[in-house]
Amino acid sequence: MESKLIFCVLFGIFIASSFDFNDAVVFKFTNVVCESFNKSWFVFHNCRLKAVSRSKVTLNMNATILHPTNDMTCHAQMFKRASGYKPWLMNIKLDVCLFLRRKNNPFFSIVYSFFKDLSNFNHTCPYVGAIIVKDVYLRPELLRLAMPTGDYLLSMKWYYYQKHQFDMNFSFTFVEDLLQS
Ligand SMILES: *[C@@H]1O[C@H](CO)[C@@H](O)[C@H](O)[C@H]1NC(C)=O
Ligand SMILES: *[C@@H]1O[C@H](CO)[C@@H](O)[C@H](O)[C@H]1NC(C)=O
Ligand SMILES: *[C@@H]1O[C@H](CO)[C@@H](O)[C@H](O)[C@H]1NC(C)=O
Ligand SMILES: *[C@@H]1O[C@H](CO)[C@@H](O)[C@H](O)[C@H]1NC(C)=O
């Protein structure tokens, strides 16, 4: 029993060490859906994934906010696929302008960390004009969260002054790192 375990551990280390740390994890976008429900306020020009390599898929997005907003709420919900998507872990309604001042939500801080240096939304409210996301991809080193292997959906419904303006839904796949699990 014990020797079997040791063998497994050694074998695991051997497999894992033959890859570089980041190669041992699959963490990538599989789909994105962006839709505006009020094109006189929020317009998507572009919202697209690009497969750069087998393990790296980048997201590019270009949108315009046509009138300033000082009140944004994001209803963010995670789902994990298990014969249909089932709610998983997170279901929050976040005051985004407050978040941008205080960074006061640990889960949203993780989501934000993927975007902040590859987008132009690192500032406080009001928000107006171009919203640009350039070559964002999912970096496992930013995920400070134990997550089981699986297919996930992060749904984000955005409200300005309590009115539903647009959705951004990301699907992604996560495969646990052999070394970490
Ligand atoms: C749509 O956007 C306009 C601003 O262009 C705003 O005045 C109006 O309240 C919005 N309507 C809805 C239903 O959100
Ligand atoms: C975003 O789209 C607008 C409208 O199509 C375009 O004028 C602008 O150059 C685009 N910006 C970027 C950074 O791609
Ligand atoms: C984002 O904003 C904070 C606070 O203004 C600043 O300290 C940080 O350097 C900014 N990060 C980037 C990537 O621009
Ligand atoms: C995004 O996902 C949520 C949750 O499944 C769903 O209610 C919503 O309709 C989706 N939005 C779009 C634009 O597909």
Side-chain angles (χ1 to χ4, degrees), residues 22-88:
N22 287 338
D23 285 350
V25 181
V26 180
F27 186 30
K28 63 177 184 185
F29 290 118
T30 51
N31 194 31
V32 61
V33 178
C34 298
E35 188 177 343
S36 169
F37 302 110
N38 185 359
K39 295 196 176 77
S40 72
W41 208 343
F42 194 98
V43 180
F44 285 106
H45 307 293
N46 174 20
C47 177
R48 199 174 291 149
L49 297 182
K50 189 165 93 184
V52 176
S53 69
R54 222 163 63 87
S55 59
K56 184 172 167 184
V57 175
T58 59
L59 167 72
N60 283 279
M61 201 260 284
N62 174 357
T64 305
I65 304 176
L66 296 163
H67 304 280
T69 179
N70 244 314
D71 184 312
M72 302 192 280
T73 302
C74 180
H75 180 194
Q77 191 171 8
M78 284 275 278
F79 299 86
K80 185 173 190 294
R81 191 153 78 188
S83 61
Y85 281 105
K86 300 282 158 44
W88 186 80

Side-chain angles (χ1 to χ4, degrees), residues 41-42 65 67-75 93-100 108 121 123-128 131 157-163 165-166:
W41 208 343
F42 194 98
I65 304 176
H67 304 280
T69 179
N70 244 314
D71 184 312
M72 302 192 280
T73 302
C74 180
H75 180 194
K93 284 193 177 134
L94 186 82
D95 177 337
V96 178
C97 292
L98 185 65
F99 172 80
L100 291 163
F108 215 76
F121 39 79
H123 65 80
T124 51
C125 289
Y127 266 60
V128 67
I131 297 287
K157 298 183 177 180
W158 292 80
Y159 297 78
Y160 293 171
Y161 303 94
Q162 280 90 55
K163 290 178 180 163
Q165 300 302 312
F166 64 94

